[in-house]
Amino acid sequence: MSDLVLVEERGDVALVALNRPDKRNAISRALSFRLREALAELQRAKVVILTGEGPAFCAGVDLTERRDPNWADALGVDDAQHWLETLQAVHRHPAVVVAAVNGPAIGGGMTLVNASDLAVASERATFGAPELSFGSFPALSGSSAVKRLLPKHAAQLVFTARPVSAATAERWGLVNEVVEHDALRERAWELAESIAAWEAPALAFAKRALDELAALDWSRALEQGVLVSALTRRLA
């Protein structure tokens, strides 16, 4: 199971790669649990890069498991939301999470990008929420897109069920930048190492503040920002 996720550490930065290239890195239960374990083992990292092995970033949740008539019984009530819990682990991780999107990020794969703090994409990457095409609202990719995108951009992904290009994703703000495919990991490491130069407590507070301030009105957000700034200065 350990080979489902590959981890490379360089000082304060860790690269975590989904490793089911033959399945386009579709998220099986085993991969979901292993990714969560890997993140738990990297609590001291300042920056975590998430990427995929092979031509795809992540093709979403592995639906072949759900075709098993005993799938629900085998999963059990406690593990029924395993992918949601893993996404929460990504979003709440104390490190700054940078998605290095090396290829298609579809459904759950796009949700993984949305759960990350920053994203760099290969020119070959695509992004989509295809669930409506098989009769289901995109529970996680749709709801996370609403948090990351303008309403009509999120609506286009949901209603058309068609992927968009890396260039469109950058224009919409789904990713921060697009680079040549062969330069993707180098650029992700470069970005991660530049962020890791800052103090760990300040990074952790900044990550949490950015998440929480987005839910506040203008005045309250500015007041809270002053408090966070004062606290991080005391910790420096």
Side-chain angles (χ1 to χ4, degrees):
M1 183 182 295
S2 60
D3 289 340
L4 289 172
V5 172
L6 304 179
V7 177
E8 178 184 353
E9 296 183 72
R10 297 185 193 173
D12 293 321
V13 179
L15 183 141
V16 176
L18 307 181
N19 190 33
R20 293 185 80 204
D22 57 320
K23 300 294 185 181
R24 296 170 62 81
N25 296 319
I27 302 296
S28 63
R29 296 198 306 272
L31 177 53
S32 177
F33 296 147
R34 178 58 193 135
L35 176 56
R36 206 183 312 166
E37 288 176 352
L39 292 170
E41 294 163 2
L42 294 170
Q43 292 295 306
R44 296 179 65 85
K46 291 183 180 180
V47 185
V48 171
I49 302 168
L50 289 180
T51 193
E53 291 294 315
F57 176 73
C58 176
V61 175
D62 191 343
L63 299 179
T64 60
E65 290 187 335
R66 300 192 182 190
R67 297 190 185 116
D68 182 344
N70 299 316
W71 176 80
D73 292 337
L75 192 60
V77 174
D78 291 341
D79 292 332
Q81 299 297 329
H82 68 88
W83 182 227
L84 173 59
E85 292 181 15
T86 299
L87 290 166
Q88 297 286 40
V90 172
H91 187 64
R92 295 170 180 166
H93 199 279
V96 176
V97 179
V98 178
V101 191
N102 55 296
I106 305 300
M110 189 178 74
T111 312
L112 192 57
V113 177
N114 290 338
S116 301
D117 301 295
L118 298 167
V120 180
S122 157
E123 60 196 348
R124 300 179 188 175
T126 56
F127 303 81
E131 289 88 340
L132 207 61
S133 68
F134 44 87
S136 174
F137 175 75
L140 300 180
S141 56
S143 56
S144 63
V146 168
K147 297 296 292 181
R148 293 298 195 190
L149 301 174
L150 292 173
K152 289 186 178 178
H153 292 158
Q156 179 175 328
L157 285 169
V158 172
F159 289 137
T160 67
R162 294 177 180 172
V164 298
S165 67
T168 296
E170 182 183 24
R171 189 170 68 250
W172 286 2
L174 184 60
V175 302
N176 298 91
E177 59 183 288
V178 178
V179 299
E180 293 182 1
H181 182 74
D182 292 341
L184 176 65
R185 287 204 182 183
E186 180 182 355
R187 175 57 185 144
W189 279 108
E190 178 185 13
L191 176 61
E193 288 169 349
S194 70
I195 295 168
W198 314 134
E199 295 295 330
L203 282 174
F205 272 102
K207 171 171 175 162
R208 181 173 177 180
L210 287 170
D211 189 42
E212 295 180 353
L213 294 177
L216 302 177
D217 63 35
W218 173 269
S219 296
R220 183 61 180 145
L222 268 60
E223 292 168 359
Q224 191 68 16
V226 171
L227 292 175
V228 173
S229 178
L231 180 58
T232 54
R233 285 199 302 273
R234 286 200 295 270
L235 291 172

